[in-house]
Amino acid sequence: MRTALLQSSGRPGSIVENLKVLDEAAARAAAGGAALLAAPEMFLTGYAIGDDIARLAEPADGDSADAIAEIAARHGVAVAYGYPERAGDSVHNAAQLISADGTRLANYRKTHLFGCFEREHFTPGEQLIVQAELNGLTVGLLVCYDVEFPENVRAHALAGTDLLVVPTAQMHPFEFVAESMIPVRAFENQMYVAYVNRVGQEGEFEFVGLSALAGPDGVARARAGRAEQLVFADADPAFLAASREANPYLRDRRPGLYRPLV
């Protein structure tokens, strides 16, 4: 499945402008043969926008979700994107997957919040495994910091995730996560990992780009630089099946020894 990664911070504070950026990217993704377009963490509104996070937060089935469903259907490409989700009195750092016909397939709430900024503005989610079927692949969702916990990605591997989509807001000085950790996560869990980042200065944060789609062999099929960019790579189910057959990690686990971890 050809996947397009939209490395961009959009226009922080403006949902209208970010929908325009997403629309243009969806057109380019479709023209490039992509079946899935993935956008970064909090792409809909911007990340470092302070109290505007709560003001701009919407339900998972809100107006912006409808607008993105229309974009997906018009261009014939599924869309995964980050946004602040309003659920009653709570706001979650969420990621949603919408199919190429505009159907809402999956919505995930970030379970591991990073730093004081996120803990001030968000409520953590409580459901770790969120998946949907897309073009013959089982697609799972995590958000940024979540992927840095090996338990989270292993849980997805055991649940059958083939392609893990991770909208992120990875900042300096943690470039090693994008450069080293993401390919290792893909290898040790025998899956594809699509890690799609923000880029440039935003408030107090400097986002580092370096978006990648890493394969189960630990090799990045595509790697962005540090500027706004749309990159393409393929998640190949045949290669994934062959890699899983050759790699014994999941078969050689001894869960009975791991009880002290929990």
Side-chain angles (χ1 to χ4, degrees), residues 79-219:
V79 178
Y81 66 99
Y83 75 107
E85 180 194 354
R86 169 68 66 186
D89 293 331
S90 298
V91 175
H92 300 279
N93 185 336
Q96 183 148 229
L97 174 64
I98 295 177
S99 75
D101 67 4
T103 302
R104 292 176 51 245
L105 295 179
N107 188 74
Y108 170 77
R109 297 167 175 174
K110 189 173 186 178
T111 53
H112 295 69
L113 301 181
F114 178 76
C116 296
F117 178 84
E118 291 194 4
R119 287 191 288 271
E120 178 182 351
H121 292 287
F122 299 110
T123 297
E126 296 297 332
Q127 183 179 357
L128 178 59
I129 304 299
V130 174
Q131 299 168 312
E133 297 302 310
L134 186 67
N135 288 34
L137 292 174
T138 300
V139 176
L141 297 172
L142 291 177
V143 176
C144 197
Y145 193 42
D146 291 325
V147 80
E148 298 178 36
F149 291 80
E151 299 89 344
N152 294 344
V153 188
R154 180 52 53 87
H156 267 277
L158 297 177
T161 293
D162 300 314
L163 170 61
L164 185 62
V165 178
V166 188
T168 191
Q170 183 62 63
M171 57 198 69
H172 179 76
F174 304 111
E175 288 88 340
F176 69 90
V177 174
E179 294 171 336
S180 301
M181 186 181 289
I182 295 307
V184 169
R185 287 284 179 270
F187 179 74
E188 68 190 1
N189 292 288
Q190 288 299 291
M191 63 174 61
Y192 287 94
V193 179
Y195 187 78
V196 54
N197 199 9
R198 305 179 70 83
V199 66
Q201 195 72 35
E202 188 179 331
E204 63 183 290
F205 306 113
E206 179 189 350
F207 299 116
V208 300
L210 302 173
S211 300
L213 192 147
D217 54 357
V219 175

Side-chain angles (χ1 to χ4, degrees), residues 33-46:
L36 171 64
L37 169 67
E41 181 177 6
M42 291 287 288
F43 183 78
L44 182 64
T45 60

Side-chain angles (χ1 to χ4, degrees), residues 14-15 18-19 40 42-46 56 58 64 68 81-84:
S14 176
I15 291 176
N18 289 327
L19 289 174
M42 291 287 288
F43 183 78
L44 182 64
T45 60
L56 296 175
E58 297 184 19
S64 293
I68 294 172
Y81 66 99
Y83 75 107

